[in-house]
Structures are given as structure tokens and as C-alpha cells.
Amino acid sequence: MTQYASDFLVIGSGVAGLTAALGLAELGSVAVLAKCGLTDTATLWAQGGIAAVMADTDSFAAHIQDTLVAGAGLCHADVVSHVVQHGPQAIRSLVSQGVAFTREHAEGLAEEGDTYHLTREGGHSQRRVLHAADATGRAIEISLASRARSHPNIRIFEQHLAVDLITGTKLGLPDAACLGAYAFDKQRQQVRTFAAKVTILATGGAGKVYLYTSNPDVATGDGISMAYRAGCRISNMEFIQFHPTCLYHPQAKSFLITEAVRGEGGRLKLINGEPFMQRYDPRAELAPRDIVARAIDAEMKRRGDDHVLLDISHKPAEFIKTHFPNIYQRCLQLGLDMTKGPIPVVPAAHYTCGGVMVDLQGRTDLPRLYAIGEVTHTGLHGANRLASNSLLECVVYAESLCADIGAQWDHLSRLPLPALPAWDESRVTDSDEEVVVSHNWDELRRFMWDYVGIVRSNKRLARAKRRVDLLKAEIDEYYSHFRLSNDLIELRNLVLVADLIIQSAQARHESRGLHFSLDYAPNALPPLDTVMQKDWPAPRLVGIDAAAAPATAASAAAPG
């Protein structure tokens, strides 16, 4: 069957997508598209945890302020307040879905009735990060996936890579609403049509646009690219978070060393054993990720080293094994014993803070198209994401989306689904030059790492822009002549995302948060006592056709 219709189409199967799918399944039929296996998501890789105010010594005000400070003046205060205040409810929702967070106990064992064990990560003033040992994302993903597989109203389509959204505008209809999507069935090597009354983008970020990343292979910016091509506004793409500590080992592809290792006392050191973070920030290892990543990058470049060291071996061995069992075992497999000495680490692209613009309910510019999770720009993260706020954002926004759709469902459920055209392959042929795709993929990720990485400059960005323009033209020409493949679809999306990142970076004439330019001094932050009262600027947009976008897009190119 090449066509499938449902009430809801959820594109993506991480914590955001599955939370939304389970909520919407109480209203009607749900189709979930997973580009690989159902649990092959960035959520599965998340180690550290989910931030929420759960301790008597903590407060919403403290969590809000920590988030605003990390965001370097570009957070939206109403969004931060909304997400933080819904944190405890998000935790209760996950627990009700079977997620078993680590609890506090003298022997490190979880007992019913124990309080949750809370850890602390960079940028947080309090211990507020709930976790499931050091594999929080896996615990959440497996629990939600199990529930989704067994729900009678949810149908799962694995190995289905979304190609493009279907809109009324594209079909020549007066209503511009999103009507579904085309998806490439990788097993059958054909494009299928998915019609839906409401479509939800939960496709995650775009870490694979860089040569070194902590992200899984699925993080290719698919949702951002599809939304942009459909006419949605995209914002703040210059803010790419680089995680300071990925394991540096030839056999460890993208293996993340959680922020919690530093939160529990891990020290960063040079290869000669000398600590260095105190030279960059008074918070040392507990500084926000952008500061720590730049410090590591600066020391590596200054000394010519290819990594630094992370050392928590001064802690008791049993403490390390109990708190970080998965990291300990993985390192041990590679011949590294973190209870006896330091482990080598490097920064890597980790999180996309910008994305598809949405409101507090996850609504995009297109009617009947929602977006949640890392694919979005909500205003929560500003210029830099506070550690462990991402899983929180996913759950809170998924629940807000479900509530918003539920309030409209009496009307939405009556909407007819128009007949959608099948994918047209009548004018394309099989490729005889697959090397073009693989070569362009490598070139793109290398120049993004070299020119649009942790430290940027106007000259580097100009070089990157020239190269991405050439690649875009070449890939567009290739796309129009040859049949689709998984690599071609992902490369097309990555090149567009790269262009949006470069345009955004060129438009920001300052160093702020995750965007650090050698041509501009770091922007001074407001005093902490005014952070929560200041007027937050509207998001800055890039690449928008002002005639087709809402009126606010007219000043999209304005820097700062």
C-alpha cells in the first residue's frame, strides 16, 4: 500500500514524538514514522537526565534564572516560565509511563518510597537533574516505545524517512494547511503518501552536519529542512551547542561522557595533568557548556593536542560504578578504567538550539502543522541550552500540543482529507554516480567543522558560504534527475541546514552564547538581578521570503 491515512501523523519517534503519539492516541488514529528502528533516536543516547524542580531546597525561580543566564539574554521569559513550572508534571507523566528514575538510598539501590536522586550539571545552581543511572534517555525511550507498540490506536512505520510535507499551497488549494507528508520506505525503496488531519514534526536536530558529533546518524535536520521548504520560519540556527566531553577513541563513535561526571566532581586536565578550567571561568568545570567547550578548544589549539583529559578517579571506585555504570563499562571495553585514571575527551556538535519557530502549544506558521523537541526554536534555550533542559522541553511541549489539539478536536475531527497525489518518479532515472553523494557529504561536514564550528570568524563564514552554495546547486541538480535514496534525502536536508546555520551566523554581528566570533568581542550580559525583568527580543530570522511569511519577517535579516 503506497497511501495511508490517519487522524495524526507523527514524524519522529524520540521522547517528543512518542509522548505526543501516546497522548493523541486517546483522540484518534496515529501513524508514527521512524526513519530507522523505532528506538533509533537521539533520546536513546541521552545520558545525563531531565531537569525539574523536585527538591524542597530548589525553586522555580532558581531554575528559571539558571536557564535565562545560560541563554545569554535571548531566552523568552514566558516560555522559560512555562516549561520550568510544568517540570514536576512532566516527571509524573514519565513515571506513569513506566520510567524508573534512580532513587536515593544509602546503598545505591532504588526502593519504593525513596526520594529521587538528583545530580547537578553545568550551569545549574542546585541539584535538580533526575536520571536513570547514566542512561536516562534509554530508560525513557524504551518505556515509551513499549507503550506505543502495544497501543491499539498507534501504527508504527519503521524504516520510513520523511521526504517533504504536503501542503494545500503545493497542491494549488486555497487552504495552506499541512495535509501530511511523503516518506521514503527504505525497505521497499519507494515513496509512500501519508495523509493526516494534523501533522507533528518531532525529527530532532542536525548534529550530523558536523564532522564530529555526539548525535546518532539519524540527526540530519530533516524536519527543519522540510518545514523551511513548506514555508515555515526558521530561527536562531547559529546557536549550535558543542558538548565539551565526548570520548576520544578510534573505536568509540560519538560516545558521550555525560555532564554529570563533571557535576559529581570530575576535573578537566591537560595531557600533562594540569587543571585549566579555573583560568576560564570561576565556576570551573561547572560553567555552562559553551564556556567549557571553548576552553577545551582553546587549550587544544594552543598546545597542538588532539584531546584533553577528564578525571574522576579521585572518587571511590564504587561511587563511579554506581553512578556511571554504562560509561564505566564502555570505557573498560576500550581499555580505559575511569576508577583508576583520567579518560581522553574532545568537544563535539551536540544540540541544535535553533529550528522551526513555534508558539507555547507547538504550533508552526502552517495550519495543522505542529513541531516539538529539538527540531524547534521555542525560545527556551536562547543563545545556549542549559544542561538537561532538552528532555524537559520535549515532554512539556508534547503535553501542551496534545491539550491544544484536544481543545480543537471537535472541529478538526470533521475535516475531510483530500485525495493526495502519489509521488511522481516519471522523469527520473537510477543514478550511475553515487560517488557524488558520498563526496559531497564528506566535504560538507568537514568545512562546517573547520569554518562554522566552536570558534568562527567573518572570513571563515564567507568561505563556508561559497562552498555551501556550490554544493546546494550540485545537489539540487542531482535530486531533480535521479531516484531517491536514503543518503540523497539526508544530504539534501543537511546542505539546506548548513546554509541556514551559515546565514544565521553571518547575520549576528556579536559574540553571544554558542556563537563565538573572533571578529566580535563577547557581548556583555545584563546584571543577574535584571535578567528576569528585561524585555526579551523577538527571535531573529533568516532566509525568509517576506512576501510569503507573516509581517514580522520583514525585518528578519536585521543583525543582533
Side-chain angles (χ1 to χ4, degrees):
M1 187 175 71
T2 58
Q3 297 207 27
Y4 183 84
S6 60
D7 291 320
F8 307 104
L9 174 63
V10 177
I11 306 175
S13 59
V15 58
L18 291 182
T19 300
L22 288 164
L24 295 172
E26 303 307 308
L27 298 175
S29 59
V30 182
V32 176
L33 302 187
K35 68 186 292 186
C36 292
L38 182 64
T39 60
D40 291 328
T41 67
T43 297
L44 192 77
W45 290 44
Q47 295 175 346
I50 177 169
V53 175
M54 301 294 287
D56 293 339
T57 54
D58 200 3
S59 67
F60 289 146
H63 191 178
I64 289 169
Q65 179 155 310
D66 289 346
T67 301
L68 296 177
V69 171
L74 291 187
C75 297
H76 296 181
D78 58 336
V79 174
V80 176
S81 178
H82 172 77
V83 173
V84 168
Q85 293 187 41
H86 283 81
Q89 173 57 38
I91 299 302
R92 289 192 289 269
S93 296
L94 291 174
V95 171
S96 72
Q97 298 285 6
V99 179
F101 292 108
T102 298
R103 293 178 180 269
E104 193 78 69
H105 194 271
E107 286 78 32
L109 302 174
E111 288 186 356
E112 203 60 39
D114 282 350
T115 57
Y116 294 113
H117 180 268
L118 303 175
T119 190
R120 183 181 175 190
E121 298 184 348
H124 289 273
S125 60
Q126 302 286 331
R127 284 182 171 268
R128 67 167 67 97
V129 180
L130 293 93
H131 61 101
D134 60 347
T136 310
R138 175 175 290 274
I140 293 173
E141 181 72 16
I142 297 302
S143 295
L144 297 181
S146 175
R147 300 260 174 166
R149 286 191 188 279
S150 61
H151 201 293
N153 280 357
I154 297 177
R155 184 168 178 185
I156 296 165
F157 295 85
E158 297 179 288
Q159 305 298 326
H160 277 67
L161 170 56
V163 179
D164 263 321
L165 298 171
I166 304 171
T167 67
T169 301
K170 291 181 180 179
L171 300 182
L173 302 175
D175 185 359
C178 182
L179 306 173
Y182 292 113
F184 182 65
D185 182 338
K186 296 194 284 186
Q187 292 178 321
R188 295 177 177 83
Q189 293 290 296
Q190 67 181 44
V191 178
R192 302 177 69 178
T193 306
F194 288 83
K197 294 174 182 177
V198 180
T199 300
I200 296 94
L201 286 174
T203 52
K208 294 297 287 187
V209 77
Y210 287 98
L211 183 62
Y212 301 110
T213 178
S214 67
N215 292 183
D217 290 343
V218 297
T220 52
D222 306 320
I224 295 171
S225 300
M226 289 190 296
Y228 180 81
R229 289 193 292 263
C232 292
R233 290 175 294 169
I234 309 296
S235 179
N236 284 27
M237 289 299 292
E238 68 269 40
F239 298 120
I240 302 295
Q241 187 175 74
F242 289 79
H243 197 287
T245 54
C246 280
L247 189 63
Y248 181 76
H249 194 283
Q251 297 174 29
K253 180 184 178 183
S254 306
F255 188 72
L256 182 69
I257 305 298
T258 173
E259 189 101 1
V261 172
R262 286 183 286 119
E264 294 294 344
R267 301 290 307 278
L268 285 165
K269 300 178 179 179
L270 301 175
I271 292 176
N272 63 9
E274 176 191 349
F276 61 88
M277 274 308 304
Q278 71 280 357
R279 299 202 302 267
Y280 291 89
D281 193 280
R283 292 164 290 186
E285 279 77 9
L286 290 177
R289 288 175 176 173
D290 61 321
I291 295 172
V292 180
R294 278 201 303 274
I296 295 173
D297 183 70
E299 290 297 326
M300 287 169 55
K301 288 176 177 173
R302 179 178 71 86
R303 293 170 49 88
D305 295 335
D306 51 13
H307 67 277
V308 296
L309 301 174
L310 178 60
D311 191 0
I312 196 173
S313 61
H314 53 276
K315 288 280 190 177
E318 197 56 38
F319 175 90
I320 296 171
K321 294 175 185 178
T322 299
H323 283 75
F324 310 110
N326 294 286
I327 296 175
Y328 171 74
Q329 288 296 332
R330 180 60 177 143
C331 287
L332 213 56
Q333 292 170 4
L334 298 170
L336 302 169
D337 189 342
M338 62 189 296
T339 68
K340 296 181 179 179
I343 55 177
V345 295
V346 291
H350 183 58
Y351 192 86
T352 309
C353 287
V356 184
M357 283 190 65
V358 296
D359 63 12
L360 280 171
Q361 287 72 45
R363 291 176 291 202
T364 71
D365 294 324
L366 284 182
R368 292 155 56 186
L369 176 67
Y370 289 73
I372 48 176
E374 192 177 351
V375 70
T376 65
H377 166 73
T378 63
L380 173 65
H381 306 305
N384 184 20
R385 176 177 71 92
L386 183 65
S388 290
N389 268 356
S390 54
L391 292 179
L392 176 65
E393 179 187 44
C394 288
V395 179
V396 170
Y397 266 83
E399 295 192 335
S400 295
L401 169 154
C402 290
D404 186 64
I405 293 174
Q408 305 175 64
W409 188 235
D410 186 56
H411 162 68
L412 291 173
S413 62
R414 296 190 179 97
L415 293 175
L417 282 175
L420 300 180
W423 184 259
D424 183 8
E425 285 192 331
S426 60
R427 291 173 292 178
V428 296
T429 62
D430 291 326
S431 172
D432 58 355
E433 293 182 323
E434 287 293 333
V435 67
V436 173
V437 173
S438 60
H439 176 79
N440 286 354
W441 185 289
D442 290 341
E443 182 181 351
L444 173 71
R445 297 181 68 208
R446 286 185 181 278
F447 76 65
M448 286 297 290
W449 181 262
D450 290 339
Y451 301 144
V452 201
I454 297 172
V455 177
R456 302 161 180 173
S457 70
N458 290 339
K459 185 180 294 185
R460 293 174 188 175
L461 293 174
R463 288 173 182 156
K465 184 67 172 116
R466 287 194 295 270
R467 282 160 174 77
V468 83
D469 287 344
L470 290 172
L471 284 186
K472 277 182 64 182
E474 191 168 299
I475 292 163
D476 286 345
E477 192 269 341
Y478 190 97
Y479 180 85
S480 65
H481 286 86
F482 298 114
R483 287 192 175 88
L484 294 183
S485 67
N486 181 85
D487 288 351
L488 176 57
I489 296 167
E490 292 185 332
L491 177 60
R492 179 187 182 222
N493 292 334
L494 279 177
V495 168
L496 177 52
V497 166
D499 191 30
L500 292 173
I501 294 171
I502 295 166
Q503 286 188 60
S504 298
Q506 288 181 313
R508 183 164 294 281
H509 300 167
E510 63 175 354
S511 288
R512 183 189 291 269
L514 299 167
H515 173 69
F516 189 89
S517 173
L518 296 174
D519 294 296
Y520 305 103
N523 204 72
L525 296 181
L528 292 186
D529 60 353
T530 66
V531 164
M532 295 174 64
Q533 284 79 44
K534 75 170 292 181
D535 294 324
W536 305 101
R540 194 174 39 75
L541 314 172
V542 297
I544 302 299
D545 180 354
T552 54
S555 60

